[in-house]
Amino acid sequence: MRAASRRESGFTLIELLVVVGIIGVLAAIAVPQFSSRQGKAYDARVKQDARNVATAEEAYYTDNASYYSGDCSTLPGAKISSGVVCNATGGANTFSVQTSHPRASLTCTWSSDGVPNLNCS
């Protein structure tokens, strides 16, 4: 008498292809959402660094009776996020700060004599 055929345990090729297809669809939905969130985070960094440097400019003015001009990373008290490009231009009574990031969609300018002080575009 013949022995009943044994069934091997495991997944069929069709089952594996269906799972791979489902994972591919989920990844196609998730990746653009992740990229959008990442861009917003870089925009927030640019805005926050402009505010931080403006505060450091006011502290610098208190100590030196003039505003700082140059790269913000060398401004005492300024904390710049990695990758953010910042430049300050100081005068006798006013200053402006421009911040940007290569992966951000915004460039922000803080102007001490502007209303509002922070403008991002």
Side-chain angles (χ1 to χ4, degrees), residues 14-37:
I14 299 297
E15 291 170 332
L16 292 174
L17 288 174
V18 168
V19 169
V20 169
I22 290 170
I23 291 172
V25 168
L26 292 174
I29 293 170
V31 168
Q33 290 294 326
F34 177 72
S35 296
S36 171
R37 303 268 184 218

Side-chain angles (χ1 to χ4, degrees), residues 45-85:
R45 276 187 190 183
V46 169
K47 287 180 183 179
Q48 187 60 42
D49 285 350
R51 290 182 187 110
N52 287 340
V53 171
T55 302
E57 277 278 14
E58 293 297 344
Y60 185 87
Y61 183 83
T62 302
D63 294 340
N64 300 298
S66 67
Y67 288 108
Y68 175 84
S69 289
D71 185 11
C72 299
S73 63
T74 59
L75 174 63
K79 296 190 180 190
I80 308 298
S81 302
S82 65
V84 173
V85 178

